[in-house]
Amino acid sequence: LKAMGFWVDQLCCSDSRATIATRDKLEIWAFAGDPIILELMKPQYYSVRFWRGVDVHGAFLTHYKLIRAILFQNVRERAQDGQDVRQRWVTGHGLGGATAQLFAFDMATRGEPVDHIVTFGQPRVGRECWTLAYNHHYRNFTRRYVNHRDPICELPETKKGFLHSVGEQYIDAGGDLSKRNTWWFRTRDQLRHEESNGTGAAPLNLDNHAIVEYILKLEKK
């Protein structure tokens, strides 16, 4: 990023990490993914927390709150320096994607919505009330990339009431990008993959969650 002319700040607190890249009138707030998400998905860490009028995954909210104070201190400092006129993009991978959406929603409830949210391999953040509230603020400003059979995107389960937000961009088994995210489209895509690799089983694999897989496929577009 520095080679591209961005000024980079690193924000870290416990396991939660963010990078702010600034150039001219653009700010990119990037939240890092973390293997700890596999631990957070275990039953003993499952909980639902009521926060800012919505139901969200308790462990994701706790993770976000580790860095929340530092984030808003930075927001205030930039506003005091006259830097609040910049366009603000928020992004993240995996657990960082969930953190990115929580931060964007937090900003919106304060009357300072961000301009765009782009996430990769993001889990479901909350229940229906969360999804409706988030979509109200960011319906036309979210792109949520899902790689074919990325298992993290299927968690937490819908049977527990968790739903994804708008903006899905589905990368199918052939590496093509599609907004067709119906059950039938996904099932057909899965069957095509099984026929091509001869597995006969759904290829849910953490390899599909790796950020490098998203980068390589999207760079081909």
Side-chain angles (χ1 to χ4, degrees):
L1 285 172
K2 290 182 178 179
M4 297 171 63
F6 283 91
W7 178 266
V8 178
D9 293 310
Q10 300 284 345
L11 306 181
C12 301
C13 185
S14 299
D15 292 320
S16 193
R17 296 166 291 141
T19 298
I20 306 175
T22 307
R23 185 178 68 184
D24 300 326
K25 296 296 182 179
L26 174 65
E27 284 181 358
I28 302 174
W29 296 57
F31 293 87
D34 198 304
I36 196 175
I37 193 171
L38 298 176
E39 187 72 17
L40 298 183
M41 291 293 99
K42 292 181 178 179
Q44 61 264 39
Y45 294 109
Y46 171 76
S47 67
V48 178
R49 296 269 299 278
F50 189 72
W51 174 72
R52 292 196 172 276
V54 296
D55 292 330
V56 297
H57 193 287
F60 296 164
L61 181 61
T62 298
H63 183 80
Y64 167 57
K65 285 188 172 181
L66 292 174
I67 200 172
R68 182 172 182 262
I70 299 176
L71 294 174
F72 280 98
Q73 177 184 342
N74 201 284
V75 170
R76 289 191 297 271
E77 290 175 351
R78 288 167 182 266
Q80 292 169 0
D81 292 341
Q83 299 180 37
D84 57 334
V85 296
R86 290 194 172 110
Q87 188 177 73
R88 184 174 288 143
W89 287 63
V90 177
T91 186
H93 168 246
L95 181 57
T99 307
Q101 284 205 342
L102 287 168
F103 173 61
F105 182 75
D106 209 354
M107 289 288 286
T109 60
R110 293 166 173 262
E112 302 177 80
V114 304
D115 296 287
H116 296 279
I117 304 96
V118 182
T119 67
F120 306 87
Q122 174 202 315
R124 299 182 179 101
V125 177
R127 291 181 166 174
E128 184 178 13
C129 58
W130 150 264
T131 304
L132 292 173
Y134 176 89
N135 291 351
H136 171 74
H137 292 292
Y138 295 114
R139 181 172 299 279
N140 299 316
F141 307 102
T142 297
R143 277 179 286 167
R144 181 174 52 79
Y145 289 95
V146 176
N147 194 18
H148 170 72
R149 304 304 292 166
D150 180 346
I152 300 302
C153 299
E154 302 300 323
L155 299 171
E157 297 92 339
T158 54
K159 66 182 180 182
K160 293 181 178 178
F162 285 83
L163 299 172
H164 268 306
S165 70
V166 294
E168 179 166 300
Q169 309 286 315
Y170 183 69
I171 306 170
D172 67 19
D176 295 320
L177 193 63
S178 174
K179 295 182 180 180
R180 296 178 61 190
N181 57 358
T182 63
W183 175 86
W184 166 243
F185 180 80
R186 286 174 181 263
T187 301
R188 185 181 64 175
D189 184 42
Q190 174 184 324
L191 292 172
R192 284 177 175 174
H193 182 90
E194 292 169 6
E195 290 174 359
S196 64
N197 66 16
T199 62
L204 278 172
N205 193 311
L206 276 175
D207 289 344
N208 292 332
H209 178 64
I211 187 60
V212 67
E213 288 294 317
Y214 283 88
I215 293 172
L216 290 174
K217 288 184 177 179
L218 291 174
E219 281 184 342
K220 295 178 181 178
K221 308 305 171 191

